[in-house]
């Protein structure tokens, strides 16, 4: 008996270890492998570029993380980002607004989308995925209607005749393209927001309340948490992150592209779920999300070296997502059967 | 004598047409341990939920230190220092958070500082656990890794750190082992010493007599009486709890035993079903009785193939079977009326007709197509036969009362002509009238030569209906009693882990 | 993101050591890679690079400009010998291109609007293509027509086409624009089709629409399908750009698609590579190269179906461009 | 007291009536409105056009309906349709297969996708939405890899040199473009499949088992249903419907377009949810799905007559979806709170 129990414990520790450090070990293996193939891979320049390339997705994914923490889901982040992109660009190009307004108005837009989402979910009672799916649609429609289907760029011709008066300012473009202390500005922004989100979620009272609401809503209510308010806030935060991603995208690209966010939604979701398993936390968390985005970024960057046909990339992304999900849910199953 | 610290006066509470509390009374002194006793459904939990702010009473008042208070929410109750360790611990535990965070949950929510220091949190939590003499729980692991008993300790610690004045324990010992219970009692004694009033709900009389100063007995939502432990005995309390009317429900029944229908040999599954052996004959009603959490439901589901047994064997009418899924059981002539009828037994959004025909669709279809006429006539038949109160065969079951729902859950199997029926707490949450109907149905099955297994924690019911009684404790069958041998006291003794000298 | 095609013949590797231009690693950074036009363009690039004994890595960006910028960075980091850019915008690419130039990596851009010193930009002669098709439209309709314009803003070549279009309308008052729409989406042809169907419903009578002018073949495809489905083949379609798939549609019986001005997409790829190799070999290359467009008319095509590979037999100037060749490059190619 | 009860009952009947016939009444109003604006709207030709335009979406939506009936969800139908489109086209154009093979192989493909989905959901335990999201990705990658990014059309040049040998046969194109007894063939196909799905779901034993599995899985298991098998079947059916939609699309368009299904996913989902509320059924159902697709089709057709810009259509689609969802869930809430 005793021996069997011991063996069982050992085995359990084994799986736990795998789950905890498996993801990180895998990442290290990938990095070593790619480095052995190409000298260009393991360089400072390449790594800062990878970080810059994931900065926008990471912001989106952080928003999704917040909604997942409270037990929801936000599928509308992609189109919120699209909307914020064109709003930002239009404020500069069409209306020649000062920089501070250009940065604040998109955030207000994000808050509004968050309010719409939480209204549908909390007040009307539509399940989160369906509610945010509809919002995704509506917001996408709005952003096209707003621009009449055109992308927004410096001195563009206007449908009303004439050309747009404004231009993207240098200061604004610096947000997306500049460098600071050897790192690109978007990387700084990403790192700061990851750290802020990490601290808020893991080291503040608010973070505990968010996790509580998602973990056991009933218990949270019994402890005096206004869970409806908490959910409202989570969706609003998600909207704000999506807006920031949009602003960053605009500054990076220097124009207001239509539908910029749509292809990023899936990547953001994948990042969050890959992040679930980081360090065996098994729940949505800010560091994991960043790590997830980084894994995907490194994988894609490295795969170009492997001569894989470009059209196979979706397969790899999908497979990584499936593996991350499988790890998460097989683990969850085990946990539940233990409880 | 001092004024009572807390008193509840003339409390009424009803849910729809169920009067859970009628003119209920309760009072508690500072630093006493006060038991709240009563049979299942007597209203104990409801009364305590009123006190802890989950429900608000329809009528009546609550006084704390002589002042009228209104407890609108659990939060308000906690502000008054009233804490509850719920019967279902999982409703109050956040599985993902650490033990420390769970212990300090209320403090975190009510706190005002923005940052949370994990170190401080862990220290406070460790202190709280130390007060409870618990040293072997790490406060840093997530709460989902705890056992049921440990989770309960976390909830007690939570009350402790918030300097509660009143702690309600709703059947805390049900899932605990004897050893764990003893530990809990020493904690309660300590709480008492510091002036905290404890309300203790339990079905296990010996432990109640061990630790409580006074006890209040409830029946059917009303106060029966309050007794000092030193001035009463178990017989008096049991009588107060049961009243006298129960035997009327069960007229004597002549029964003829046929062949052995079911033979279960050394069946085990995990912790909750351990080495179970028994047999059931045609025309026999076998009661399986045990306290809450003894493993009755688990055993019923194991026999039915929902969570198949890992060891042992099963024979039906002499044929050894391997049942891996409920469909195998149904094919072999075994059916289960599950305990949680809304969750497991019925499709509450669907009509009575579709529910009734579901277990035997083949019978109600030609080729592939459903024969709605035949379904309807069957539905009408069971409505009539079981006296189900419903406006039509098409009414969704949500609109039916609990008792009538339960009749459907039983009646739906009658199109199958199975030979063995497992009833898991079939009268739970069912009113007196419907209860009588259900007893009658079960007896009719037996008279037709079916075997019936009746799982219940309500001892008087089991006594009334069974031909033979198996007592379960902690996943084992600890005693078999014939109808003649069985008494309320003996069953309670074995069900709470005791032994006759 | 990318794909590399290895030089196929083994003796190429042997020779690679002899010729300094052999065995080069070329990156092709694209904004969008869906559709037959892109596929043919990629094929042209690969063919020419392989003929020179090099390898190509294709970076695609699914239409996402920030991804395109990242891909450009990645290409630079991987230390390729030359970079080809297909589409994109000045604002998003300038920085990466400057970076490449600073590292001494030669860059040739096609329709990207990139403005960096030392970078060669290819464009298709967009004004001329617009003119060619519009003149044909006017000729076919005797100078009086109600037309639908399908065009989208925000891309450099589209802007140039628009300029020619406006000039033309100014000079031909008989041609009236009665409706205009267009959007570059994830599935442009399909979305255009449903929009065109809607326009046809608004003008349900014969003669209300004379012709459709599509500034891009993806638009034309959608429009042609909508017109065919509605049985309104009296409406003619004129377009710019042409892939092999388009050619098949033009050749269909009763096809409303009557003419398109284009450069062979494979030729574009080949020419772009040649200019890149000129730069790699240190040659002095002009900053702006305009590709000569070819005018393809349905009436000039033979009865039997032909593909773009055989089109040169029927349409003069198709697929046979010598632009960008130098003697040195020809020699390199023949030596393999 | 009595009076109050009576009033309450009346009110309840009112809401029930609204819920039951509200959707239909709305549709009738819309039709009358559009007819009053344009003579072209209320014509036989226009209505057959509308029906034809919704035929592909309806097939997709029927598949989604089946997965919703068992309490799941299938987001991969769009890319399954894309895959089926290019497979169908390639079988004709690249491999010159006989017609029966051209029709059967895509169905096999659909079955395989369904198997993958149900494996992830039933065996691994990944939640349906996430599992089918990953599948969507993977399948999209496969279909691009398969065609190497090319659309597939008559006499296309092959990467291996030469031109493709095959052509779309007349018989095949007839499926998408022909007419039969005054109705387009796709309309016939759609109507037949709607009726078959309706009969299977509402009048057969299988339908009962599907609905019961979705309604209360636990209870279904305890009634002796092998719910895992049932779910497998539902996802396979969904895959088959998506494949059929792909075949129909190919025949309609006469070539194998890349990514044909992606934009149709949302429309299919919207159709299913609009269909929930039809006739007050309040759950996924075949007739409702058809009706939902028709409502959206009529709305879009009518709006083009109103000269609304195309980019505003998404807003309308999203709003219709939100209203349908709100109706469904507000009603569900009421029902549950009564229980
Ligand atoms: N939310 C509710 N809705 C309807 N009826 C309820 C509800 N809660 C309790 N009841 C009914 O009220 C009565 C009293 O239930 P309560 O849970 O208080 O009993 P109890 O004495 O705690 O029983 P046990 O010993 O089984 O825990 C029962 O008949 C029960 O069915
Ligand atoms: N999924 C689970 N996770 C943790 N504990 C469980 C689980 N299921 C059952 N238990 C515990 O196992 C024990 C046996 O449960 P079971 O439901 O079989 O008891 P029972 O005798 O039927 O009691 P009841 O009167 O509550 O129905 C109880 O202590 C119960 O709390
Ligand atoms: Mg209770
Ligand atoms: Mg039980």
């Amino acid at each position: 008996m005793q021996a069997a129990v011991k063996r069982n414990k050992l085995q359990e520790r084994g799986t736990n270890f795998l789950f905890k450090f498996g993801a990180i070990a895998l990442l290290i293996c990938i990095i070593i492998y790619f480095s052995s193939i190409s000298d260009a891979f393991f360089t400072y320049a390449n790594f800062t570029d990878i970080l810059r390339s994931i900065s926008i997705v990471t912001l989106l994914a952080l928003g999704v993380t917040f909604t997942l923490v409270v037990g929801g889901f936000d599928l509308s982040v992609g189109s919120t980002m699209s909307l914020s992109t064109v709003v930002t660009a239009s404020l500069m190009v069409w209306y020649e607004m000062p920089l501070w307004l250009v940065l604040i108005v998109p955030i207000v837009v994000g808050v509004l989308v968050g309010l719409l989402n939480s209204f549908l979910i909390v007040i009307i009672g539509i399940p989160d995925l369906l509610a945010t799916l509809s919002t995704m649609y509506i917001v996408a429609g709005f952003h096209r209607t707003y621009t009449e289907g055109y992308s927004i760029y410096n001195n563009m011709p206007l449908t009303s005749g004439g050309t747009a008066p404004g231009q993207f300012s240098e200061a604004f473009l610096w947000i997306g393209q500049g460098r600071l202390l050897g790192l690109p500005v978007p990387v700084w922004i990403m790192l700061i927001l990851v750290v802020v989100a990490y601290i808020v979620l893991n080291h503040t009272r608010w973070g505990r309340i968010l996790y509580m609401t998602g973990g056991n809503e009933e218990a949270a209510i019994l402890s005096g948490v206004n869970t409806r308010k908490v959910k409202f806030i989570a969706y609003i935060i998600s909207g704000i992150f999506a807006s920031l991603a949009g602003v960053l995208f605009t500054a990076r690209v220097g124009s207001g592209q239509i539908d910029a966010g749509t292809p990023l939604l899936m990547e953001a979701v994948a990042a969050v779920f890959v992040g679930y398993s980081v360090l065996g936390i098994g729940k949505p968390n800010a560091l994991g999300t960043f790590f997830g985005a980084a894994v995907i970024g490194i994988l894609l960057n490295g795969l170009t070296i492997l001569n894989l046909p470009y059209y196979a990339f979706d397969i790899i992304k999908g497979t990584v997502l499936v593996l991350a999900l499988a790890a998460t849910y097989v683990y969850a199953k085990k946990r539940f059967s233990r409880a | 004598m001092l004024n009572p610290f807390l008193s509840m006066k003339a409390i009424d509470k009803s849910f729809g047409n169920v009067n859970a509390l009628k003119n209920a009374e309760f009072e508690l002194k500072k630093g006493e341990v006060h038991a709240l006793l009563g049979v299942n459904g007597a209203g104990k939990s409801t009364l305590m939920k009123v006190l802890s702010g989950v429900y608000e009473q329809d009528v009546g008042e609550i006084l704390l230190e002589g002042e009228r208070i209104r407890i609108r929410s659990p939060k308000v109750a906690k502000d008054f220092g009233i804490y509850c360790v719920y019967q279902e611990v999982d409703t109050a535990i956040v599985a993902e958070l650490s033990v420390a965070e769970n212990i300090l949950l209320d403090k975190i929510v009510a706190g005002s500082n923005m940052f949370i220091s994990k170190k401080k949190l862990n220290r406070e939590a460790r202190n709280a656990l130390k007060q409870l003499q618990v040293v072997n729980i790490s406060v840093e692991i997530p709460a989902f890794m705890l056992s049921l008993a440990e989770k309960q300790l976390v909830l007690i610690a939570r009350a402790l750190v918030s300097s509660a004045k009143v702690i309600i324990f709703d059947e805390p010992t049900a899932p605990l082992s004897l050893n764990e219970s003893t530990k809990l009692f020493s904690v309660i004694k300590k709480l008492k010493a510091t002036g905290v009033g404890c309300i203790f709900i339990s079905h296990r009389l010996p432990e109640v007599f061990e630790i409580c100063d006074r006890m209040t007995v409830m029946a059917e939502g009303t106060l029966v009486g309050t007794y000092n432990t030193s001035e009463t005995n178990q017989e008096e309390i049991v009588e107060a709890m049961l009243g006298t009317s129960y035997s009327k429900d069960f007229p004597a029944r002549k029964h003829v035993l046929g062949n052995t229908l079911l033979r279960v040999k050394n069946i085990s599954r995990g912790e909750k079903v351990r080495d179970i052996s028994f047999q059931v004959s045609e025309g026999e009603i076998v009661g399986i009785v045990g306290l809450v959490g003894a493993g009755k439901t688990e055993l019923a589901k194991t026999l039915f193939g929902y969570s198949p047994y890992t060891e042992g064997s099963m024979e039906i009418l002499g044929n050894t079977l391997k049942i891996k899924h409920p469909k195998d059981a149904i094919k072999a002539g075994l059916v289960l009326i599950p305990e949680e009828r809304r969750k497991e037994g019925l499709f509450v959004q669907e009509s009575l007709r579709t529910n009734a025909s579901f277990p035997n669709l083949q019978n109600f279809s030609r080729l592939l197509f459903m024969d709605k006429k035949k379904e309807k006539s069957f539905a009408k038949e069971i409505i009539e036969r079981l006296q189900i109160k419903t406006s039509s065969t098409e009414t969704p079951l949500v609109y039916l009362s609990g008792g009538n729902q339960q009749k459907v859950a039983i009646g739906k199997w009658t199109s199958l002509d199975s030979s063995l029926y497992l009833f898991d707490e079939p009268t739970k949450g069912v009113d007196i009238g419907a209860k009588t109907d259900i007893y009658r149905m079960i007896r009719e099955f037996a008279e037709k030569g079916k075997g019936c297994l009746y799982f219940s924690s309500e001892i008087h019911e089991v006594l009334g209906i069974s031909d033979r009684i198996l007592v379960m404790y902690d996943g084992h069958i600890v005693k078999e009693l014939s109808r003649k041998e069985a008494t309320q006291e003996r069953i309670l003794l074995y069900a709470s882990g005791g032994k006759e000298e | 993101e990318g794909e590399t095609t290895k030089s196929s013949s083994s003796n190429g590797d042997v020779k690679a050591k002899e010729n300094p231009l052999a065995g080069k690693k070329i990156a092709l950074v694209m904004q969008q890679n869906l559709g037959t036009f892109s596929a043919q363009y990629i094929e042209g690039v690969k063919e020419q690079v392989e003929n020179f004994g090099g390898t190509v890595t294709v970076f695609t960006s699914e239409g996402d400009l920030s991804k395109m910028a990242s891909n450009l960075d990645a290409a630079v980091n991987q230390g390729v010998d030359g970079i080809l850019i297909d589409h994109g915008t000045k604002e998003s690419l300038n920085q990466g291109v400057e970076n490449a130039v600073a590292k001494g990596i030669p860059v040739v851009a096609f329709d990207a609007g990139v403005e960096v010193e030392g970078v060669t930009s290819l464009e298709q002669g967009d004004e001329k293509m617009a003119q060619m098709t519009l003149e044909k439209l006017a000729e076919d309709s005797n100078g009086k027509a109600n037309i639908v314009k399908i065009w989208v803003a925000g891309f450099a070549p589209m802007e140039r086409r628009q300029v020619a279009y406006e000039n033309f309308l100014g000079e031909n008052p008989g041609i009236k624009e009665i409706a205009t729409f267009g959007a570059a989406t994830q599935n442009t042809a399909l979305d255009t089709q449903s929009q065109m169907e809607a326009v046809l419903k608004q003008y349900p009578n014969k003669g209300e629409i004379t012709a459709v002018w599509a500034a891009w073949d993806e638009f034309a495809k959608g429009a042609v399908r909508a017109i065919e489905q509605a049985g309104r083949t009296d409406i003619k379609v004129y377009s710019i750009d042409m892939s092999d798939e388009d050619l098949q549609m033009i050749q269909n019986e009763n096809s409303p698609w009557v003419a398109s001005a284009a450069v062979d997409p494979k030729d574009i790829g080949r020419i772009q590579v040649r200019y890149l190799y000129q730069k790699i070999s240190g040659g002095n290359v002009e900053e702006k190269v305009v590709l000569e467009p070819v005018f393809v008319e349905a009436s000039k095509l033979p009865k039997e179906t032909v593909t773009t590979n055989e089109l040169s037999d029927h349409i003069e100037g198709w697929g046979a461009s010598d632009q960008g060749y130098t003697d040195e490059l020809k020699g390199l190619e023949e030596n393999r």
Side-chain angles (χ1 to χ4, degrees), chain B residues 15 18 20 38-47 55 87 171 203 429:
Chain B
F15 302 101
V18 180
V39 296
N40 285 121
K44 307 179 294 289
S45 298
T46 308
L47 187 66
Y55 303 139
Q87 198 167 354
E171 304 201 32
H203 289 282

Side-chain angles (χ1 to χ4, degrees), chain C residues 185-198:
Chain C
T185 63
Q186 280 184 321
N187 199 333
T188 305
L190 199 68
D191 290 346
T192 307
Q193 185 179 349
S194 39
Q195 286 160 38
M196 189 65 208
E197 273 164 12

